[in-house]
Amino acid sequence: MISCSADEYGNTVEEASSVSVQAGVSKKLGPANDANPYDEVGKKYGFWLSDYYQIHGYSNTIQDLTTQVNYMEAKLKAPDVFGKSNILITEDGISISINNPETVVTSTLAAGTLSEAAESSLLGFFISLIQNREAEYSLLYDFITTYEASIMDSSNLTGHELETILGITSVTRYALDAEGGHKDRDWEISVGNKNVASRFHPFQVSLISVIVHLRYYL
């Protein structure tokens, strides 16, 4: 089940449908969601990430992921994107994010400027993704776009909060798609290749990468 619990994380967004229900929705090719007015934010991030995978390959270790995250940090630092200074992420920092992703999301959002309602909603969104990171991409896509629709229909978020949340959800969609396109799960779980299988759960790399970069969007 993928859902945003209204009781636990606030009542900003209606309860999302279960993965099993959303499985019946046909996803068009690619990660785009034309209904999201800030889809370009994620498209740029997805382009950078896909380019990284093509050059350096998929991240299979903490060291790989650290290199990947810092590569993306350098891209986000560019003046034409945010103009924010970057902080070099260490392997210890990545390990903390992998072992305690919910805590990292919570602390990052708390340091931002979102209202309590917006912060609670976005926290619920990420916790649902973290808990369901092994789901197929099509199901994650359907969950994200359903959440985006509920955000666009929300009446208690400011224009800035709508832009922030929808930019983050767009980045997440494109990041998950970029990883899925470069990771052959059937190959990884085959008996003959178990010794070189990724150390990460499906889509864990993308989620951790997005979580680490959340501060750029807040």
Side-chain angles (χ1 to χ4, degrees):
M1 301 283 288
I2 285 186
S3 64
C4 293
S5 172
D7 293 334
E8 188 173 358
Y9 302 114
N11 56 8
T12 303
V13 179
E14 296 180 0
E15 195 80 15
S17 302
S18 69
V19 168
S20 59
V21 172
Q22 293 184 45
V25 180
S26 297
K27 188 188 85 65
K28 62 184 178 181
L29 294 177
N33 178 18
D34 295 337
N36 183 337
Y38 304 102
D39 209 51
E40 285 295 323
V41 178
K43 184 180 294 185
K44 181 174 292 187
Y45 189 96
F47 174 81
W48 290 334
L49 191 54
S50 293
D51 190 52
Y52 178 88
Y53 285 144
Q54 290 175 4
I55 297 171
H56 302 283
Y58 179 77
S59 297
N60 289 297
T61 67
I62 290 177
Q63 183 178 27
D64 291 342
L65 181 51
T66 303
T67 301
Q68 174 187 318
V69 165
N70 283 311
Y71 171 89
M72 296 299 290
E73 285 261 340
K75 292 292 187 181
L76 290 170
K77 175 187 169 185
D80 62 334
V81 182
F82 294 106
K84 295 184 178 181
S85 61
N86 66 336
I87 300 174
L88 188 66
I89 303 299
T90 65
E91 291 184 22
D92 286 343
I94 293 296
S95 295
I96 291 172
S97 297
I98 291 173
N99 294 324
N100 302 285
E102 293 95 339
T103 301
V104 173
V105 172
T106 301
S107 61
T108 302
L109 293 177
T113 59
L114 296 178
S115 66
E116 183 177 347
E119 183 181 322
S120 177
S121 174
L122 200 51
L123 176 61
F125 168 77
F126 274 105
I127 287 180
S128 292
L129 287 176
I130 291 167
Q131 293 175 343
N132 292 276
R133 59 184 174 271
E134 295 188 61
E136 291 295 322
Y137 176 75
S138 61
L139 304 183
L140 296 177
Y141 175 93
D142 288 338
F143 165 68
I144 294 171
T145 54
T146 297
Y147 175 77
E148 289 174 325
S150 69
I151 287 296
M152 287 184 280
D153 287 340
S154 177
S155 59
N156 60 342
L157 298 174
T158 67
H160 170 70
E161 288 172 339
L162 286 172
E163 180 178 357
T164 298
I165 293 176
L166 292 174
I168 289 171
T169 56
S170 174
V171 165
T172 305
R173 251 188 302 106
Y174 279 89
L176 294 175
D177 180 74
E179 179 181 346
H182 290 81
K183 189 174 183 182
D184 187 342
R185 291 177 178 74
D186 291 335
W187 181 84
E188 287 183 349
I189 63 177
S190 65
V191 175
N193 291 291
K194 282 187 176 179
N195 61 323
V196 293
S198 170
R199 292 171 55 182
F200 300 115
H201 292 293
F203 300 118
Q204 186 177 15
V205 168
S206 292
L207 281 175
I208 295 304
S209 180
V210 171
I211 287 170
V212 169
H213 295 135
L214 268 179
R215 68 186 185 87
Y216 278 100
Y217 301 92
L218 297 174

